[in-house]
Amino acid sequence: MNRTNSTHLRSRARFAFVRQAHMLRIPLAAVSMAAGVSGLLLNLFNIRLSLGSVGATLGTHPLTALMIMLLSFDILMFRLGRRRPLWRFLLLGSGGVILGCNLFLPDQLHALFSNWSAVADSRMGTDTTLLLGALVLSMLLAGKNNGLGGVFAAFAVFSLLFSFMEHSFNVYFLETHLALSTLVALIPACFAVLTIYAHHPVMRLFLIGDAIGARTRFLFGASCFLPWFGGLVIYRIADAPVRVFPVEAAVLSLIICAMTAIVLYSGRMQEKGDSQRRMLERHMAHVAHHDALTGVLNREGTQSHLNFLWRRFVTEQRSAGVILLDIDYFKKINDSYGHDVGDKVLVSLCQQIRPFIRSDDALGRWGGEEFLILVDGAQIAGATAVCQRIREAIAEMHAPDGRPFPCGVTASFGVSVLLETDTGVAAALKRADLALYRAKDGGRDQVQFYENDDQGIVAA
């Protein structure tokens, strides 16, 4: 139906950014791997950059470069929802071993790297180790425990943000810092990991294409930019003295974390409220267009679908069958056996009709015991054949509990189709109504069709 199609289109537009994020995963991982190799080459050739005390080293630690390449390769090969091959666990497990060795091996073994590395005369930095460990754990948990995996991914994002602040403010949070090439390589790797969590409720806040997503992206950007800009003023413009521990930078970092938590919480609450609103709107639309007793379309819903078929008939010349169905002697059933039996007859009749109509067709309660069936793309012969099968099924139907009705139930049918000479749907309905009355006058339990004005009403 047209309402279903429009809802589907709105949903696709709302989550367009989520699909685009998944498409960026492989390019981001490839960029990260290339940047890791470049950083290692810069290290081997001892290329340095004069940027003050922080960020003077341009090259990447060999173990860091190896971890970045392992992580990037795993991101490239990751397939969400598929069975995890053993090599993935071996790959990430080897990364965990590397991080463990970096933390716990004696300094004498780390000194072996100094023969072929310009910056490996010590262990990897603490911030580098924590960041890489968070990304490895996030990859291991992806698809298995997305909640905990998302926490590790968020930790990696803020670790990168704080490292960027270190380079911007020329301060240390820890005793070591990320090299510039390492920072450049880990930024796309971190974003690639985040694309895997694009459907996570929190991550989705940044990617949905409605007002909530735009508001979340703007507020998150503002909550990061304003404190960072304040730090630039403090350390670069006002030239504040750098302490052993940069209190001002730490306070700004806490402000960023707190503001981000507030933005995410408010966005999540707003999305929940918006989701409940959309659910309520769908329920109200369903109630407004469906019959409460039988569950089929009511008169308004049927008229809406009929108007849709007419508009398409005008633009595409695609025909449609219009079938009016009326239960024979329904008033007598109500008077003799009660309205509860009459209601069961209506419910059972709709259940009998449903198997004979397609998803593009429509069944609606036109009024009382009268129903309207709209057969998409049908000519007279096809619509009449459908009626004959439905008529035979109705004659053999039982109550919803499986027991036979205390009386026989039959129905009469009037069939028409949309014609080029019609000026609207009312003409097709009138022809179907005339055919139905002829079926009633002809003895009921039969199908009559009105093909065109020249041939008039014909018995099927």
Side-chain angles (χ1 to χ4, degrees), residues 32-66:
S32 176
M33 182 178 290
V37 173
S38 301
L40 181 61
L41 293 176
L42 292 174
N43 176 15
L44 294 178
F45 289 103
N46 195 18
I47 298 177
R48 293 176 175 268
L49 191 65
S50 179
L51 290 176
S53 59
V54 176
T57 302
L58 191 62
T60 300
H61 192 288
L63 289 180
T64 303
L66 179 60

Side-chain angles (χ1 to χ4, degrees), residues 176-381:
T176 56
H177 59 84
L178 286 178
L180 276 178
S181 57
T182 303
L183 182 63
V184 170
L186 284 176
I187 288 175
C190 190
F191 279 105
V193 171
L194 289 178
T195 62
I196 295 175
Y197 290 88
H199 287 286
H200 190 279
V202 175
M203 185 62 192
R204 194 172 60 232
L205 290 173
F206 295 95
L207 299 175
I208 52 179
D210 55 11
I212 297 176
R215 170 185 172 276
T216 302
R217 291 188 291 271
F218 173 78
L219 292 179
F220 176 74
S223 65
C224 293
F225 174 77
L226 294 178
W228 171 79
F229 184 75
L232 282 183
V233 172
I234 293 173
Y235 287 105
R236 294 293 188 177
I237 299 177
D239 199 18
V242 179
R243 308 169 189 264
V244 176
F245 180 78
V247 178
E248 298 86 352
V251 171
L252 292 174
S253 301
L254 292 176
I255 291 174
I256 291 176
C257 292
M259 292 178 66
T260 301
I262 294 172
V263 169
L264 293 179
Y265 177 78
S266 62
R268 182 66 179 143
M269 291 299 101
Q270 187 175 1
E271 188 194 26
K272 283 185 176 180
D274 188 64
S275 177
Q276 293 174 354
R277 177 188 58 79
R278 291 194 305 271
M279 188 180 301
L280 181 60
E281 287 178 350
R282 287 194 296 268
H283 175 72
M284 294 176 64
H286 180 85
V287 170
H289 290 87
H290 288 77
D291 180 60
L293 175 63
T294 61
V296 301
L297 294 173
N298 58 17
R299 190 180 183 98
E300 181 180 354
T302 309
Q303 184 68 55
S304 176
H305 189 75
L306 186 58
N307 292 336
F308 165 71
L309 292 177
W310 172 254
R311 290 194 298 270
R312 195 174 62 179
F313 174 73
V314 171
T315 57
E316 303 176 13
Q317 295 299 306
R318 182 179 176 87
S319 182
V322 179
I323 302 169
L324 273 175
L325 176 159
D326 188 84
I327 301 175
D328 298 330
Y329 303 110
F330 185 73
K331 184 178 185 301
K332 185 176 180 180
I333 295 174
N334 274 334
D335 295 340
S336 302
Y337 302 100
H339 289 277
D340 56 337
V341 174
D343 290 346
K344 292 179 180 179
V345 169
L346 294 173
V347 173
S348 297
L349 182 134
C350 293
Q351 293 174 350
Q352 290 293 111
I353 294 176
R354 282 194 178 99
F356 297 97
I357 61 176
R358 303 161 301 179
S359 59
D360 292 335
D361 302 334
L363 169 63
R365 189 176 180 185
W366 197 240
E369 70 274 18
E370 195 172 58
F371 292 84
L372 184 64
I373 303 173
L374 303 174
V375 187
D376 184 37
Q379 299 294 339
I380 279 291

